[in-house]
């Protein structure tokens, strides 16, 4: 880990976590992640924006020392989550004069997570400025991207915006700026889908605040910074919009191939009607891949055998995830097989309370699918195609997207 200059007096301190495989023991990290802190040296004061994940504290402190900094006056905490606040106690111990600058809610939340002395707190208010001498920090409250206390910091003279989680990506990289746009877009979309999508409406408000600032650089606390902020802003505008794509995601489990045969039949009929289809086997579900599909897809199908009267537990897990993500999916259906009786569709619908898609009638088969089952699936495919054809132009992404 090395300090990397962004502009005069502004340094990125990025702790790459190349090997981390899961975030929150839930979110797959195919490209690792990073925890980014930023050092800002003004003519009179020095500030640190965010810190890093506790296991990275030793290398973070070593990199901080490499900058030659002898005094830190302010540690700005944009977000209480420990991947950004976790090294604050170590920084406070190293720099006894340093104050933690945070909004009141963030301070309270950090106090729930680590021992902090109230004397070290300086409250940040929305829109308030803090001068470092030739470098002015402006606090920009952006609640719910990702927790209720989240905020960003705008460095006025350099026009750098530090949004913490917002506009970030789980991507370990040696490059200061996002370069390979294809790789970056996938990582940023995965991150948005898993972390930000449940707060889609709040993301829109935060995005408007970022656009008002007209930053020259956006420097989040995960993944690369953006020397062309328009790229990530345009992506977020598309992802947070109400627009959906006429695409079908099918999440499924099959034990004796009955449900699998139904999925295969439905997939073929949907493809014949020109609808893109993506299948996700819930047994070894990549939750990030499913979440990414649900950023855009108009339609989601749950396909499950009945196990002890309800859905297969792996499918139930997928449903819990979908319910939590609350995607903007418009249409949904439940299909599957059972042995002698089932409450599977009702149980899934109960799990999916916050999932507001319109459901088609379920298609169920007792044992292996029959000619009648396949006819019902044909009708379901036709209904899905008709529903997608009826999507208004305003509901589809713009050509530029
Ligand atoms: Fe990267 Fe919400 O913490």
């Amino acid at each position: 880990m090395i300090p990397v200059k962004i502009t005069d007096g502004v340094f990125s301190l990025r702790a790459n976590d190349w090997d981390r495989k899961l975030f929150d023991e839930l979110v797959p990290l195919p490209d690792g992640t990073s925890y980014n802190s930023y050092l800002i040296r003004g003519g009179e004061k020095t500030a640190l924006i965010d810190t890093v994940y506790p296991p990275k504290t030793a290398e973070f402190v070593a990199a901080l020392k490499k900058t030659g900094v002898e005094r830190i006056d302010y540690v700005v905490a944009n977000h209480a989550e420990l991947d950004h606040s976790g090294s604050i106690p170590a920084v406070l111990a190293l720099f006894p004069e340093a104050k933690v600058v945070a909004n009141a809610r963030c301070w309270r939340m950090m106090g729930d997570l680590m021992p902090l002395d109230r004397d070290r707190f300086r409250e940040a208010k929305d829109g308030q400025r803090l001068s470092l001498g030739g470098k002015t920090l402006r606090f920009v409250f952006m609640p719910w991207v990702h927790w209720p206390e989240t905020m960003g910091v705008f460095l006025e003279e350099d026009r750098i915006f530090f949004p913490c989680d917002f506009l970030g990506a789980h991507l370990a990289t040696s490059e200061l700026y996002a370069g390979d746009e294809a790789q970056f877009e996938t990582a940023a979309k995965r991150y948005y889908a898993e972390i930000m999508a449940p707060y889609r409406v709040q993301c829109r408000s935060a995005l408007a605040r970022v656009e008002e600032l007209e930053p020259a650089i956006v420097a989040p606390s995960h993944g690369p910074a953006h020397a062309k902020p328009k790229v990530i802003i345009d992506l977020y505008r598309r992802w947070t919009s109400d627009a959906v794509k006429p695409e079908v995601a099918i999440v499924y489990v099959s034990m004796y191939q009955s449900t699998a045969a139904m999925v295969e039949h439905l997939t073929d009929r949907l493809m014949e009607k020109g609808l893109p289809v993506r299948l996700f086997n819930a047994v070894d579900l990549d939750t990030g891949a499913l979440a990414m599909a649900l950023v855009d897809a108009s339609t989601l199908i749950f396909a499950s055998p009945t196990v002890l009267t309800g859905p297969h537990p792996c499918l139930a897990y997928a449903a819990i995830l979908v319910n939590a993500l609350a995607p903007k999916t418009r249409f949904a259906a439940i299909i599957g097989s059972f042995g002698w009786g089932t409450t599977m569709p009702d149980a899934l619908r109960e799990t999916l309370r916050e999932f507001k898609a319109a459901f088609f009638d379920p298609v169920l088969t007792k044992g292996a699918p029959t000619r009648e089952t396949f006819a019902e699936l044909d009708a379901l495919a036709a209904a899905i195609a008709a529903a997608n054809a009826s999507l208004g132009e305003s509901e589809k992404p713009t050509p530029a997207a």
Side-chain angles (χ1 to χ4, degrees), residues 23 79 81 83-84 146-147 150 164-165 170 191 195 221-222:
F23 207 94
H79 179 22
E81 194 167 2
D83 52 332
H84 309 290
H146 152 227
W147 283 3
T150 45
C164 197
D165 275 347
H170 283 316
Y191 179 89
I195 310 292
S221 296
H222 291 294

Side-chain angles (χ1 to χ4, degrees), residues 48 51 53 75 90 115 149 159 167 180 217 220 244 259 306 310 362 396:
L48 205 55
T51 64
Y53 183 49
V75 186
E149 87 299 3
R159 306 205 68 73
L167 309 178
D180 179 340
I217 296 169
V244 292
T259 300
T306 292
K396 296 176 182 173

Side-chain angles (χ1 to χ4, degrees), residues 38-223:
Y38 297 94
L39 181 71
I40 304 175
R41 307 185 81 162
E44 297 154 17
K45 306 280 187 186
T46 297
L48 205 55
I49 310 284
D50 293 328
T51 64
V52 302
Y53 183 49
K56 293 286 182 181
T57 297
E59 65 180 276
F60 170 62
V61 168
L64 196 52
K65 287 179 176 171
K66 280 183 204 154
T67 66
V69 69
E70 292 177 347
R71 177 186 170 95
I72 287 180
D73 299 280
Y74 307 115
V75 186
V76 179
N78 279 327
H79 179 22
E81 194 167 2
L82 287 166
D83 52 332
H84 309 290
S85 67
S87 303
I88 286 178
V91 174
L92 293 182
L94 205 58
F95 299 97
E97 67 287 347
K99 301 278 191 204
V100 177
V101 181
N103 64 52
R105 190 164 195 176
C106 183
W107 175 258
R108 287 197 301 274
M109 292 176 77
M110 287 192 294
D112 293 336
L113 296 168
M114 64 188 87
L116 289 171
D117 182 348
R118 174 86 196 175
D119 292 343
R120 308 295 294 268
F121 174 50
R122 175 167 171 163
E123 184 176 356
K125 299 266 181 71
D126 190 23
Q128 189 181 46
R129 290 177 168 83
L130 177 63
S131 175
L132 307 179
K135 303 267 188 204
T136 309
L137 308 182
R138 192 196 317 169
F139 306 114
V140 181
F141 285 18
M142 304 185 303
W144 293 106
V145 297
H146 152 227
W147 283 3
E149 87 299 3
T150 45
M151 72 173 195
V153 172
F154 187 50
L155 175 56
E156 293 185 338
E157 290 80 0
D158 300 73
R159 306 205 68 73
I160 304 174
F161 186 56
F162 303 95
C164 197
D165 275 347
F166 192 53
L167 309 178
H170 283 316
L171 179 61
T173 172
S174 62
E175 303 297 312
L176 175 60
Y177 293 113
D180 179 340
E181 287 186 13
Q183 184 201 31
F184 170 73
E185 179 173 341
T186 301
K189 185 173 186 180
R190 180 179 275 265
Y191 179 89
Y192 168 81
E194 294 158 333
I195 310 292
M196 295 290 161
Y199 310 108
R200 189 165 62 90
V201 173
Q202 293 89 342
C203 284
R204 284 188 205 158
S205 303
L207 196 64
R209 297 211 72 180
V210 176
E211 290 186 87
E212 279 170 20
L213 297 169
E214 298 183 356
I217 296 169
V218 168
S221 296
H222 291 294

Side-chain angles (χ1 to χ4, degrees), residues 142-146 166-167 191-208 235-245 291-292 294-297 324-330 354-357 394-395:
M142 304 185 303
W144 293 106
V145 297
H146 152 227
F166 192 53
L167 309 178
Y191 179 89
Y192 168 81
E194 294 158 333
I195 310 292
M196 295 290 161
Y199 310 108
R200 189 165 62 90
V201 173
Q202 293 89 342
C203 284
R204 284 188 205 158
S205 303
L207 196 64
L235 288 171
Y236 264 66
R237 193 180 294 118
R238 181 177 99 200
W239 296 333
T240 59
S241 77
D242 291 332
V244 292
K245 290 182 179 173
M292 274 198 288
L294 298 182
V295 170
D296 302 309
L325 292 172
K328 58 187 176 186
T329 314
R330 302 290 173 79
E354 303 302 323
F355 178 59
K356 303 302 183 191
S394 64
E395 297 172 297

Side-chain angles (χ1 to χ4, degrees), residues 12 127 142 196 218 220 224 247 258 281 326 343 399:
S12 166
M142 304 185 303
M196 295 290 161
V218 168
E247 296 174 354
S258 294
N281 191 322
T343 59

